Amino acid sequence: MADHTLPSQRPAWAALKAHYGALRDRHLRDLFAADPGRGTRYTADAVGLFLDYSKNRATDETLKLLFALAGECGLKGRIASMFSGAKINVTEGRAVLHTALRAPKDAVITVDGKNVVPDVHAVLDAMSAFAERVRSGAWKGHTGKPIKTVVNIGIGGSDLGPVMANEALRFYAKRDLNFRFLSNVDGTDFAETVRDLDPAETLFIVCSKTFTTQETMTNAESARAWSLAALKDAASVAKHFVAVSTNAAEVAKFGIDTANMFGFWDWVGGRYSMDSAVGLSTVLALGGDQFRELLAGFRAMDEHFRTAPLDRNLPVIMGLLSVWYSSFFGAETVAVLPYDQYLKRFPAYLQQLTMESNGKRVTLGGASVDYQTGSVYWGEPGTNGQHSFYQLIHQGTKLIPCDFVAFCKSLNPVGRHHDLLTANVFAQAEALAFGKTADEVRADQAKAKKVDEALVPHKTFPGNRPSNVLLVDKLTPFALGTLVALYEHIVFTQGAIWDIGSFDQWGVELGKVLATQIVKELEGAPEPERHDPSTNALIARYRAARK
Ligand code: G6Q
C-alpha cells in the first residue's frame, strides 16, 4: 500500500514550520556575516553545471530539515521507481520514462515485460538517416527541388521544446535550412508561417503524439490544402509531410507514408518529449551526431540525479529549496533568468514543464493538499529583463526567488559584451541578496552633497531576496541537455515532496471539451441556450457580429 500521509503531517514538515518562524526575519546579510564560508560551501558541481545556492534564505539547519523531509517522503525510492519503469503516472496508468529516451544502447529498461531501449535507438537512427537526406539535399520535394524550409506543426509539448531547442542551439544549426513553428489554431499563425514559402521546397512535420489535437490537425489540414493547391498531386503529400506520432492509423489516414512516421510511446509525456521523435526538427537542424550530444547531456544529469547523494544532488537541492519558498514562505512565483540570448525561449519552455506538471491540488491518493504546490515559473533573458520587471523583484512587496543561468564563455565573443553581460548577473544576485540600507543611501547622499531624507525610503533596497546562480562553461548541445534535465528533475523532486501527480494534466481537458461543443454553436444553426448566462450572451453576440 502506498503511504499517503500528507507531507504536512510529517515530522520534518513540522520542524521546518517551526524553523521557518525562527529564520523568517533573518537577513541574508546576517547569515553571511555569521557564516562567511557559506559563499563557497553552499555550492554543488556536476556534469558541467556549477550551482551557487548560498544566496538562499537557508542555513545548515534548513538544509538538514529539507533533506530529512526528502527522506520521510521517500524521494530516493520514488526516483528509483521512475527510472525502473514503474507506472508512477497513476491516473493514466503509465510509466514515466523520458529518461529511457537518452539511455545508452546497452541499457535494459522494461515496460510491461518489454525492453524499450532498442526501439528508442531504432527511432533515433531513423531520424538521423532522414535528417541526413534532407540536410544533404538527397531528399527531394515533389518537383525535384531540395527542401529549404521545415515547418513543425504541433502545440504544447509538441511545440515548446522544439522551438526552445531551435533557438538555443541555432549556433550549431545548418543555416541554409530554415525552421518555422506553427502551433496556434489562430489562422494568423498559419497565414504568417507560410506566406512567403514555396510549397515545392517546404517540408511539414506534423508533430502530435495523439494525432487528434484540434489545433495541430486543423493546421495540418490547412497546410496540406496549401501544399496541394500548388503541387496539384495527392502523391506530393508523401514528399512534403512527415509525422511524429504514436498513432500510425491516423497518420496513414492523413495521407502520410507511415515509412516517414517517427514514433514514440505512451510513457513519454508531451512536456518531456523534446528528446524523443518530437525533436525531429532539432535533428534536422543539428544532424544526428549533435542531437546525440544533447541526449548525452540529458543522460549525464539523469545519472547524477539517480546516484548522487541528496546533499550534492543539483535537482534535489534546487527542488527542495523551491519547496521551502513555495510551501513555507508562501512565495508564489520563480523567475528564471538566463543570461544568454539563445535561451530566450527557455523560460517559456519551463512554464509548461513546471506548471503543467505541478499545478495540482490533490495528492496522488486524492486528498486535498493543505499547502502551496507548483509555483508560477516565468522569466526573460538578461539583461533585457533588468530594464523591465526586475524593479518589482528588487523593491516590490512579493518574494520572488530567482534562478540565474550564466555562461563563462560566449559563443559570439564581441568586444567586452560578455564580461558586461556576466557582470550584470553577479550584480543582480548580489543586489537582490544584500540590498542597500537606508544608511548606505544616506552615505551616498552625503558624498554627493545632495542630502534629501525624503528620497531615502525610495532608494533603499531591502535585499534578502533569494537566488540561485547556475554557471556553465558554454552553451553546447550537451549543456542544454543537462539544463533541461535539471529542471525536469527539479519538477520531479517538488512533486515527490508534495505527493502530487506530476505527469498527468487533467486540467487542460475541461476547456477542450467545452470548446468542441461551443464551436458547433458558433458555426451551426442556432441551438437552445445551454451554458451560463455570460457564455450564452457571448455566443449570441459573436454569432450576430459574424452575420
Ligand atoms: C504535455 C501536454 C500537452 C500536449 C499537447 C499536444 O505534456 O500533454 O501540451 O503535448 O496537447 O498533444 P499532441 O502531441 O497529442 O498533439
Side-chain angles (χ1 to χ4, degrees):
M1 264 296 277
D3 172 6
H4 286 306
T5 307
L6 277 180
S8 52
Q9 303 302 313
R10 297 194 184 274
W13 190 284
L16 277 161
K17 216 165 166 184
H19 174 66
Y20 166 70
L23 196 77
R24 180 178 49 200
D25 298 323
R26 287 198 70 189
H27 200 287
L28 276 166
R29 270 194 297 264
D30 305 330
L31 297 182
F32 271 88
D35 175 16
R38 63 181 280 139
T40 46
R41 197 172 74 253
Y42 288 174
T43 59
D45 203 343
V47 301
L49 302 185
F50 174 79
L51 168 68
D52 175 351
Y53 60 98
S54 65
K55 297 189 190 76
N56 279 289
R57 291 170 68 175
T59 60
D60 288 352
E61 179 67 8
T62 322
L63 294 167
K64 193 182 92 193
L65 292 173
L66 286 170
F67 292 126
L69 180 63
E72 290 175 15
C73 294
L75 176 60
K76 274 191 171 162
R78 289 181 194 240
I79 295 172
S81 245
M82 171 173 69
F83 278 91
S84 76
K87 296 196 173 168
I88 62 166
N89 175 355
V90 289
T91 67
E92 296 182 308
R94 291 176 180 170
V96 173
L97 271 183
H98 39 279
T99 51
L101 297 169
R102 49 259 193 167
K105 238 180 187 152
D106 57 356
V108 178
I109 303 169
T110 47
V111 179
D112 295 328
K114 183 177 183 239
N115 180 13
V116 299
V117 179
D119 286 352
V120 167
H121 283 271
V123 173
L124 264 176
D125 291 344
M127 290 201 293
S128 301
F130 171 70
E132 198 34 53
R133 290 179 67 199
V134 175
R135 286 162 61 88
S136 67
W139 176 282
K140 301 273 191 280
H142 187 61
T143 64
K145 289 187 179 172
I147 299 302
K148 253 196 193 155
T149 304
V150 175
V151 180
N152 186 80
I153 307 179
I155 195 163
S158 297
D159 170 66
L160 288 158
V163 172
M164 184 275 289
N166 187 261
E167 287 295 336
L169 300 177
R170 184 181 292 272
F171 181 82
Y172 302 93
K174 184 171 163 61
R175 297 300 180 111
D176 53 1
L177 201 53
N178 300 306
F179 291 87
R180 295 191 184 174
F181 296 86
L182 171 57
S183 55
N184 200 332
V185 77
D186 183 347
T188 294
D189 202 9
F190 174 76
E192 290 293 342
T193 299
V194 300
R195 66 177 297 131
D196 54 350
L197 296 184
D198 176 356
E201 298 175 330
T202 303
L203 176 76
F204 291 95
I205 303 172
V206 186
C207 187
S208 174
K209 182 173 166 181
T210 54
F211 231 71
T212 55
T213 302
Q214 186 201 55
E215 293 91 332
T216 300
M217 296 326 296
T218 305
N219 276 321
E221 277 152 24
S222 298
R224 186 178 50 190
W226 173 85
S227 182
L228 282 174
L231 301 175
K232 300 189 187 340
D233 181 355
S236 67
V237 172
K239 294 277 169 218
H240 292 273
F241 287 80
V242 299
V244 169
S245 190
T246 56
N247 189 345
E250 285 299 319
V251 168
K253 235 199 246 168
F254 183 87
I256 293 176
D257 184 350
T258 45
N260 299 323
M261 168 179 152
F262 301 90
F264 59 119
W265 306 273
D266 75 352
W267 40 261
V268 183
R271 54 193 176 275
Y272 295 88
S273 68
M274 63 170 276
D275 49 348
S276 71
V278 167
L280 183 62
S281 59
T282 317
V283 185
L284 282 162
L286 300 183
D289 289 349
Q290 295 200 94
F291 190 75
R292 283 189 164 80
E293 276 296 298
L294 173 75
L295 297 183
F298 274 98
R299 178 161 67 241
M301 182 53 79
D302 292 344
E303 278 310 288
H304 169 72
F305 182 52
R306 198 174 64 79
T307 59
L310 298 188
D311 61 354
R312 291 209 300 277
N313 195 309
L314 267 63
V316 170
I317 294 168
M318 289 179 72
L320 291 174
L321 285 167
S322 61
V323 168
W324 176 228
Y325 294 121
S326 181
S327 299
F328 294 87
F329 281 77
E332 298 202 327
T333 84
V334 175
V336 181
L337 308 163
Y339 278 62
D340 190 303
Q341 193 61 19
Y342 285 128
L343 288 182
K344 68 177 180 216
R345 296 288 294 177
F346 192 56
Y349 171 78
L350 291 184
Q351 276 181 3
Q352 185 195 21
L353 179 68
T354 57
M355 294 200 266
E356 203 166 48
S357 296
N358 284 342
K360 309 290 161 68
R361 49 169 283 286
V362 296
T363 63
L364 284 166
S368 293
V369 301
D370 57 4
Y371 41 88
Q372 287 287 316
T373 61
S375 291
V376 176
Y377 275 73
W378 60 288
E380 282 288 326
T383 59
N384 297 15
Q386 292 173 206
H387 300 264
S388 156
F389 53 79
Y390 277 40
Q391 167 65 36
L392 186 146
I393 309 181
H394 281 289
Q395 286 188 310
T397 53
K398 295 180 171 52
L399 180 71
I400 302 180
C402 297
D403 289 350
F404 291 98
V405 183
F407 295 87
C408 296
K409 295 181 191 129
S410 172
L411 293 177
N412 297 294
V414 183
R416 296 174 63 220
H417 287 239
H418 198 67
D419 289 342
L420 291 172
L421 179 71
T422 311
N424 275 283
V425 183
F426 300 157
Q428 289 298 326
E430 182 179 2
L432 286 168
F434 301 101
K436 189 168 191 179
T437 64
D439 283 343
E440 286 165 349
V441 175
R442 286 188 193 102
D444 280 355
Q445 288 185 343
K447 224 167 153 190
K449 299 198 176 17
K450 274 192 184 157
V451 175
D452 184 349
E453 188 58 29
L455 275 181
V456 171
H458 300 280
K459 293 198 157 189
T460 299
F461 284 63
N464 213 15
R465 304 190 174 211
S467 67
N468 292 308
V469 176
L470 277 164
L471 201 54
V472 191
D473 187 51
K474 75 178 184 195
L475 180 57
T476 58
F478 183 93
L480 184 70
T482 63
L483 276 172
V484 175
L486 168 70
Y487 279 92
E488 287 179 348
H489 299 324
I490 288 173
V491 167
F492 184 92
T493 301
Q494 295 167 334
I497 302 298
W498 289 323
D499 192 32
I500 55 178
S502 301
F503 301 102
D504 58 20
Q505 56 283 314
W506 299 105
V508 291
E509 290 300 319
L510 178 60
K512 278 195 199 173
V513 172
L514 289 175
T516 308
Q517 171 56 34
I518 290 175
V519 76
K520 293 186 204 143
E521 296 164 46
L522 299 183
E523 293 177 336
E527 290 190 30
E529 293 184 334
R530 62 174 85 206
H531 304 275
D532 61 276
S534 159
T535 308
N536 288 334
L538 288 166
I539 291 171
R541 197 177 177 86
Y542 179 82
R543 283 185 69 103
R546 291 267 286 165
K547 264 194 193 142

